[in-house]
Amino acid sequence: MKLVAVKIPIKLTLAQLFSYCASEPWALLLDSCNNAQAQWDMIFRQPVTTVTNSQAWPQQLAQALAQVPAYTGPDFLPFQGGLAGAWSYDCGRALEQLPSLATADIELPDLSVGVYHQALMQQRSSGDTYLLAPAAQVQQLTDFWLTAQQHCQQQTPASFWLAGDWQANMDATSYATKFAQVQAYLRAGDCYQVNLAQRFSASFQGSTWAAYQALRSHNNAPYSAYMQLPEGALLSLSPERFLAISPAGDVETKPIKGTRPRHPDPAQDQLLADQLQQASKDRAENVMIVDLLRNDLSRCCLPGSVKVPRLFAIESYPAVHHLVSTVVGKLAQANQGLQLLGQCFPGGSITGAPKIRAMEVIEELEPHRRSYYCGSFGYFSQHGQADTSIAIRTLVATHTQPGISHSGTIHCWAGGGLVADSECASEYQETFDKVARILPVLSALPKPEAQA
């Protein structure tokens, strides 16, 4: 068997087309939300095998990637057969010795990665769509997607609604207590920075894919993703790249550290962005994480290749401004992508520094495990190309019935990096600023009987 790629006549966006397969377990959309930062959107479905055991996962996944059939086709396509899926924050437990203190109440595997021999890829600049498939299945899968295109142009949108209010696992008082505990660790020299997050949970009914569609229209995040799992669904509206790797072994990571809310008045909005770029506290937080990532990349990159071409750039999204830096390097061997992911996982921007001690503090102070929040979504192609996100602005849904229309519980998290000169009230408010285009959007979705 060999894998090939052909151009097929698709006029819809992949976010529109995905509706046709969104209820399939292991269907995955990597979605740029038409953001100018991204070059490709991708749909993955029907993996030939799945990997859910998170023990020694870098080695497991490298072995699975090595068994993907050879590819013949355009060499510019980003995915030529390989791995795609989601890594939970708790995949870090397979790499380091960490305490088990927080409640693990989300019954999903820590790892949800498929080996995919088929994918649909749409180039944003041209609109061209390419089908990757085993040579013997090209016609069958082309027909599938052309049928999907017809169906998606005619179908009635599904519904999603909350069956109760959002409930946080911390109130202002308990957050302040945990904030004080972090400050004590910082003063004692245990850490330089700790990312502390709270979780919001609500019961829901309906289609989690419909929830994602509503959220993507309000967030425009370049590293968005939707993944349907047998036991639930993952919805991510992330603005943050984790690791991008080229076939030649060039590596880029873009940590976010520093946030201000958007303002409806353009002058005030620009003032907030300017203040963020000049804020000494936020710049200090950002540099701490840049240094951490420089060290992480250096574990697999050539000596002298790790550099910081951009420091303290402003990137703006519908809810917030972010302070973003760029760190690059060159892998010592071009096939080390999964090894690099393991060396850098989880991303330093969502743990703190030093990483392991910060993760111990997080486990002590956050009431519940993070699940896929602060994990990663992405792909690793057999020819060496990879791209992954940091799973912030991410929701995890678990359901009581199989399929995409069901009832269940949906969780969303928000956090921020705490340093010695952080101020409790502003840090607490920042967690709400970060989900200002998520929680209210889902709360406002009407029940079907109220839509008439």
Side-chain angles (χ1 to χ4, degrees), residues 18 105 155 163 168 203 259 314 370 416 420 438:
F18 189 77
D105 60 346
Q155 75 178 64
S203 56
T259 304
I314 293 291
R370 289 181 168 187
I438 295 178

Side-chain angles (χ1 to χ4, degrees), residues 6-17:
V6 296
K7 186 176 172 182
I8 63 174
I10 296 295
K11 302 303 181 187
L12 299 181
T13 67
L14 295 199
Q16 294 170 317
L17 202 61

Side-chain angles (χ1 to χ4, degrees), residues 256-263 268-283 285 314-323 393 417 426-427 429-434 436:
I256 289 174
K257 192 53 64 179
T259 304
R260 292 292 186 278
R262 299 298 303 267
H263 196 285
Q268 287 294 320
D269 191 57
Q270 185 60 51
L271 180 62
L272 285 166
D274 293 343
Q275 288 174 344
L276 173 60
Q277 191 162 48
Q278 299 304 318
S280 58
K281 169 191 164 294
D282 295 279
R283 290 164 75 99
E285 285 185 39
I314 293 291
E315 292 184 5
S316 300
Y317 296 91
V320 292
H321 300 290
H322 278 312
L323 198 62
R393 317 293 188 272
S426 63
E427 295 290 348
Q429 179 58 43
E430 184 178 301
T431 65
F432 293 95
D433 295 339
K434 287 174 174 175

Side-chain angles (χ1 to χ4, degrees), residues 21 83 116 200 249 302 370 404 415 420:
C21 65
L83 311 172
Y116 292 90
F200 306 90
L302 291 168
R370 289 181 168 187
I404 199 166

Side-chain angles (χ1 to χ4, degrees), residues 25 58 79 117 227 274 277 325 342 433 451:
F79 187 78
H117 291 177
M227 190 171 192
D274 293 343
Q277 191 162 48
S325 294
D433 295 339
Q451 293 175 348

Side-chain angles (χ1 to χ4, degrees), residues 3 44 64-65 68 79-84 114-117 132 380-382:
L3 305 183
F44 304 88
L65 186 61
V68 174
F79 187 78
Q80 300 175 10
L83 311 172
V115 179
Y116 292 90
H117 291 177
L132 169 80
F380 285 79
S381 174
Q382 64 172 324

Side-chain angles (χ1 to χ4, degrees), residues 263-342:
H263 196 285
D265 176 71
Q268 287 294 320
D269 191 57
Q270 185 60 51
L271 180 62
L272 285 166
D274 293 343
Q275 288 174 344
L276 173 60
Q277 191 162 48
Q278 299 304 318
S280 58
K281 169 191 164 294
D282 295 279
R283 290 164 75 99
E285 285 185 39
N286 197 288
V287 165
M288 289 178 195
I289 302 306
V290 165
D291 284 345
L292 189 158
L293 282 164
R294 288 173 61 212
N295 290 335
D296 282 351
L297 261 59
S298 295
R299 297 179 182 184
C300 291
C301 289
L302 291 168
S305 71
V306 177
K307 296 180 170 56
V308 184
R310 294 180 74 211
L311 198 61
F312 311 142
I314 293 291
E315 292 184 5
S316 300
Y317 296 91
V320 292
H321 300 290
H322 278 312
L323 198 62
V324 186
S325 294
T326 302
V327 186
V328 299
K330 178 86 169 181
L331 289 178
Q333 299 177 33
N335 63 352
Q336 288 181 303
L338 285 162
Q339 181 183 343
L340 178 69
L341 181 68

Side-chain angles (χ1 to χ4, degrees), residues 142-223:
T142 298
D143 293 343
F144 173 89
W145 287 116
L146 295 180
T147 300
Q149 182 167 239
Q150 274 189 318
H151 175 84
C152 290
Q153 290 170 318
Q154 301 163 1
Q155 75 178 64
T156 302
S159 298
F160 173 97
W161 67 99
L162 295 184
D165 294 334
W166 292 105
Q167 302 293 325
N169 67 354
M170 301 181 196
D171 59 17
T173 300
S174 62
Y175 182 91
T177 299
K178 296 173 189 298
F179 179 92
Q181 290 173 283
V182 170
Q183 290 298 316
Y185 282 128
L186 296 173
R187 287 193 300 271
D190 279 42
C191 301
Y192 311 113
Q193 181 179 161
V194 175
N195 186 290
L196 181 66
Q198 62 171 324
R199 188 181 83 177
F200 306 90
S201 304
S203 56
F204 74 90
Q205 294 187 38
S207 161
T208 48
W209 170 241
Y212 176 81
Q213 289 175 298
L215 291 170
R216 80 183 293 276
S217 68
H218 287 82
N219 285 274
N220 190 38
Y223 304 104

